[in-house]
Every structure is written in C-alpha cells, then in structure tokens.
Amino acid sequence: MNTDTKILFTDLDGTLLNDQKQISAGNLAAIHMALENGHKIVISTGRALASAKKQAETLGLIMPGCYIIAFNGACIYDIHEKKIIFSETIPLDYVYHLFEEAHKLNIHIQTYDDTQVLTESENDDLFRYCHNTGMEYKVISSVRSELIFSPYKVLVIDYQHHEPLVQFQEQIRTWAEGKIDFYFSCNELLEIVAPDISKGNAIIRLCEQLQIPLEATISAGDADNDISMLQTTHTSVVMKNADPHMHAYATYITEQDNNHDGVAEAIYKFML
C-alpha cells in the first residue's frame, strides 16, 4: 500500500465552492500544491457526472491524481484517464414509480442521462437547478415511454418549501425499503440512489483500487449527504458554515467558511 500519499475527498457546494458557485484563488492554489506534492484530490459530490466534470475542467483538476465521485457515490470517474471506475444505477421500474409518486404531490422530480437533466415538465425549480449546476435539460413526455436505461440518480426538488419533500420521503418510505436509499444534500434537494450507494462506500472502493489506506484519507463537507464520507475518512473536516448538527461528525471544524478558503485551511493543516 502507498503510505506516503494522502487523498482528500471534497464536496463542491458549500465546501470547495463559495456561495457564488466559484472556487477561490486560495483553495485552488492549495489544491495544486497538494497535487504537486504527490497527493490526490477527489471531487465528491451529489451532482451529476457531467456537471462535476465541467467543474473539474474549469478548475484545471484533470491531471493524474484527480478523480470524481458523482451522484453521491453511484459513479466513480478517473478524470485524467477519462474512464468510469465504478457505477451503480436504479432499476427503471423504481424510477417510474418515483416519478408517479412525486406527481401526486406536484413536486418537481428529475433524472439524468450522460450529459443532461431529464424531466417531464419545465418549472422554476428545474431552471434554478440547471443554473446552479451548469447543466442543460431535456423535457420528455414520459419517463415510462422514453427512458430506456437505468439512471444513476433521481432528484426531487423544492426550493421554496422543505415540507413537501419530507412528505414525499414519508410517502415512499415503506415501499423504498431495500429498493433505494434517499437523503437530503440540502433542505431543497432530496437525493435518491441505489441501496448502499453513498460517498462513504465510494471512498472505500476508490482507496482499495488505488491501494491507499483509510488512515491517509481526509474529507471536507458541510451537509447530510456528506455524513457517510465524514464517517469513513480518517480525518473529517466540517466547514464552519455547516449546520451545527454536522459538528458531531467532525474531527476538525474549519475556522474559515466556504467563502474564505476553508478547504485550503484543511489542506495546509492535514496534507502539506
């Protein structure tokens, strides 16, 4: 096993990126310094692979040692080699059911192909999501008739009210057991993936492949979908801007928030 290399798993929104969805010069400089010293950087996000790849390319994180965990762990991607290392999808019958249940509550629901968001209706939630993630979208008449492959993730969105998402969660809870896993990445986004898919399990899979011990792992996050990641790595960095309930999962809480080089603080303290 490689005992000298350290590996950082960093969330994007609310962690590596500031509130304007940009990376600071300080965070970027620290990341490049870590890579130059032989360490590895993994973008670990609930975002679609297409969105995460675009972000990584914008940041210049396409060199050896750069990886992406996308869709909350449903896909692991080597961005330098441009190849998928691991993938796990949701069966189509489950996707059909989820769309039907969301429509009963008049909640926006979407899934993805390799390049874009797929949904059955246009609305403000869709427009805001695509603006935030830099993704294109395609409206299809029916997932049941037009979706012909199993997707990595389904996402339910309500940017105005949290309660309808909780209601949807409770509506599908009994049916979902053993079929899917779901959790909030923030109050507005309910993530739905295959069973046992999480950022934490993706970390274990990638570290085994790279022969890096978990003792050399560091994670940085701020939200509920980061919990499994924080619980898995040896050093767990929670951002200053995270909700206080996230502090229980931290070995270290940054002094700076996501708008002021919080990830750089973690890199200098634990990697360099």
Side-chain angles (χ1 to χ4, degrees):
M1 283 211 170
N2 189 336
T3 56
D4 297 323
T5 300
K6 294 180 180 179
I7 184 166
L8 171 67
F9 299 86
T10 176
D11 177 49
L12 283 177
D13 302 299
T15 301
L16 182 61
L17 303 182
N18 61 24
D19 291 346
Q20 286 70 50
K21 306 297 181 182
Q22 299 170 336
I23 188 170
S24 66
N27 277 350
L28 193 57
I31 283 174
H32 283 287
M33 189 176 296
L35 290 166
E36 289 165 5
N37 279 271
H39 303 305
K40 298 185 186 298
I41 301 292
V42 184
I43 290 174
S44 186
T45 180
R47 289 195 191 192
L49 179 59
S51 175
K53 282 168 61 178
K54 185 182 296 185
Q55 190 71 66
E57 289 161 0
T58 299
L59 304 179
L61 301 183
I62 56 175
M63 59 200 74
C66 295
Y67 300 85
I68 294 171
I69 292 173
F71 296 111
N72 284 314
C75 180
I76 305 175
Y77 185 77
D78 183 330
I79 193 162
H80 178 68
E81 296 293 336
K82 298 182 179 180
K83 67 178 183 181
I84 291 174
I85 298 172
F86 168 84
S87 65
E88 185 72 40
T89 58
I90 305 172
L92 275 175
D93 285 347
Y94 299 169
V95 177
Y96 302 155
H97 180 76
L98 290 163
F99 268 73
E100 289 163 1
E101 292 301 304
H103 292 331
K104 290 177 183 177
L105 295 175
N106 198 31
I107 302 175
H108 175 71
I109 185 168
Q110 64 187 44
T111 189
Y112 306 82
D113 63 15
D114 289 341
T115 61
Q116 60 192 342
V117 173
L118 299 178
T119 186
E120 293 179 346
S121 61
E122 289 182 302
N123 54 57
D124 289 342
D125 287 324
L126 173 66
F127 301 149
R128 181 170 172 180
Y129 175 86
C130 290
H131 173 76
N132 288 346
T133 59
M135 292 195 72
E136 302 294 328
Y137 69 87
K138 179 181 179 181
V139 176
I140 57 180
S141 60
S142 167
V143 292
R144 187 172 287 278
S145 62
E146 295 188 48
L147 191 64
I148 58 174
F149 57 88
S150 299
Y152 288 113
K153 185 180 83 166
V154 171
L155 186 67
V156 188
I157 305 176
D158 192 324
Y159 283 110
Q160 300 302 317
H161 306 287
H162 179 62
E163 186 55 38
L165 298 181
V166 175
Q167 185 179 352
F168 175 81
Q169 190 179 36
E170 293 307 312
Q171 181 171 298
I172 66 169
R173 185 177 299 278
T174 300
W175 167 86
E177 190 170 349
K179 296 183 179 73
I180 57 162
D181 283 349
F182 50 81
Y183 36 76
F184 286 97
S185 54
C186 61
N187 282 338
E188 299 86 3
L189 305 178
L190 181 62
E191 314 269 348
I192 302 172
V193 292
D196 299 321
I197 290 298
S198 67
K199 292 183 180 183
N201 285 339
I203 286 170
I204 293 170
R205 291 183 177 105
L206 183 57
C207 285
E208 286 177 350
Q209 179 146 345
L210 299 177
Q211 295 188 305
I212 296 175
L214 288 178
E215 289 75 20
T217 59
I218 304 151
S219 61
D222 72 301
D224 283 3
N225 69 324
D226 298 321
I227 290 173
S228 68
M229 176 175 75
L230 297 165
Q231 290 175 322
T232 301
T233 55
H234 180 265
T235 302
S236 305
V237 177
V238 169
M239 304 301 293
K240 179 182 179 180
N241 49 281
D243 190 271
H245 81 274
M246 293 297 297
H247 294 177
Y249 304 100
T251 55
Y252 179 76
I253 301 169
T254 60
E255 295 179 6
Q256 302 299 322
D257 63 17
N258 66 307
N259 292 313
H260 300 89
D261 302 341
V263 169
E265 178 185 335
I267 289 173
Y268 291 128
K269 188 171 184 67
F270 297 111
M271 294 187 84
L272 299 174

